[in-house]
Amino acid sequence: GLAWLYQFRLFDIPVAWWSWVLLLFAEDFCYYWFHRLHHEVRLLWAAHVNHHSSTHYNLTTALRQSWTTPFTGFIFWAPLPLLGFPVEMIIIQKAISLLYQYWLHTELIDRMPGFRVIFNTPSHHRVHHGRNPIYLDRNHAGIFIIWDKLFGTFEPESEGVDYGLTKNIHTYNPVRIAFHEWTAMLRDAWNAHSTRGRLGYLVMPPGWTEDGTGKTAHELRFEYVGAEVSHN
């Protein structure tokens, strides 16, 4: 797919030290939006949810890779070949990003002062894997945490992290882990009472319901923050 898009490129970007630096930031920017929207759109969340299904947090959590994001994620990197980055460079940079994110899945490394200002760290990523209301849909960064700070999705680690999903599935069956949200989403869409409802169950955030009784991550977080302010 990337190779097909490359033939429509706007520029011919050479393989040079400066183009690698440019690609480092450009690819990470694409990853941020890939990751963020895979939390905020239910159809995409169905593909990504298995990575968050563990109630533990260690290096094995990093290996809970999706079986279906190769089909839902391709479009997010489409701008890179269209700009003119050679396909080989893109694939290598994507691999570097994935390898970088592996070591983030640990509780053994603390806050990393200084480094954490610009780069994603285990502390930042622990927040991302938390089901605490204050941590929901925060810290989508790959390598650079700057995107979360720029687009308002950053949250520092401030309380103990409760790992897993807002509603844990309590199974080690790999097929159910991979497809349980696909099943639930399609069931909700099938049982919806209107076209709006059917479409909403596919494209609205996880937690959205046709009758308005469900709560999205944004709503759960808003309620929690409001309660904390009132308590203090």
Side-chain angles (χ1 to χ4, degrees):
L2 294 174
W4 181 79
L5 289 172
Y6 184 68
Q7 66 182 317
F8 305 108
R9 62 191 179 277
L10 299 175
F11 311 102
D12 286 305
I13 299 176
V15 179
W17 70 266
W18 60 266
S19 59
W20 280 108
V21 174
L22 187 60
L23 181 60
L24 171 65
F25 287 92
E27 191 280 331
D28 203 56
F29 182 74
C30 293
Y31 177 84
Y32 169 82
W33 286 106
F34 154 80
H35 198 182
R36 177 173 174 174
L37 290 178
H38 273 70
H39 277 257
E40 296 180 350
V41 176
R42 192 177 181 189
L43 179 68
L44 303 180
W45 173 244
H48 181 62
V49 63
N50 70 296
H51 182 64
H52 287 264
S53 61
S54 176
T55 57
H56 304 281
Y57 191 74
N58 52 49
L59 295 178
T60 68
T61 307
L63 302 178
R64 285 188 176 226
Q65 295 296 311
S66 172
W67 295 357
T68 49
T69 48
F71 303 100
T72 60
F74 162 76
I75 192 65
F76 292 94
W77 283 270
L80 300 180
L82 291 174
L83 284 171
F85 287 104
V87 175
E88 296 83 355
M89 287 182 68
I90 298 170
I91 293 172
I92 290 171
Q93 186 55 50
K94 287 185 70 175
I96 290 171
S97 176
L98 192 63
L99 288 169
Y100 179 91
Q101 293 174 62
Y102 176 68
W103 72 280
L104 301 177
H105 297 80
T106 180
E107 295 183 298
L108 299 179
I109 299 175
D110 205 358
R111 305 302 176 87
M112 303 182 72
F115 188 81
R116 67 181 179 181
V117 175
I118 297 176
F119 293 95
N120 200 6
T121 67
S123 175
H124 294 328
H125 204 59
R126 285 194 289 269
V127 166
H128 179 71
H129 275 263
R131 66 181 195 145
N132 315 46
I134 193 67
Y135 292 159
L136 294 177
D137 288 359
R138 303 285 102 177
N139 300 1
H140 302 290
I143 296 176
F144 297 107
I145 199 66
I146 55 176
W147 311 123
D148 287 289
K149 294 181 177 181
L150 282 172
F151 296 109
T153 53
F154 175 71
E155 183 68 37
E157 186 178 16
S158 57
E159 62 183 42
V161 184
D162 182 14
Y163 300 106
L165 306 174
T166 53
K167 296 179 181 179
N168 286 317
I169 55 177
H170 306 292
T171 181
Y172 294 109
N173 183 315
V175 175
R176 185 170 175 224
I177 291 171
F179 294 108
H180 75 276
E181 183 61 16
W182 286 105
T183 303
M185 178 190 68
L186 293 174
R187 184 192 307 119
D188 288 341
W190 179 264
N191 292 328
H193 301 292
S194 65
T195 301
R196 173 185 171 275
R198 283 186 281 274
L199 185 61
Y201 281 121
L202 299 179
V203 302
M204 293 299 287
W208 180 90
T209 57
E210 186 178 20
D211 60 7
T213 59
K215 292 184 179 180
T216 65
H218 175 77
E219 292 167 334
L220 291 171
R221 189 173 187 276
F222 183 80
E223 287 182 359
Y224 178 82
V225 172
E228 283 293 295
V229 171
S230 299
H231 176 73
N232 293 330

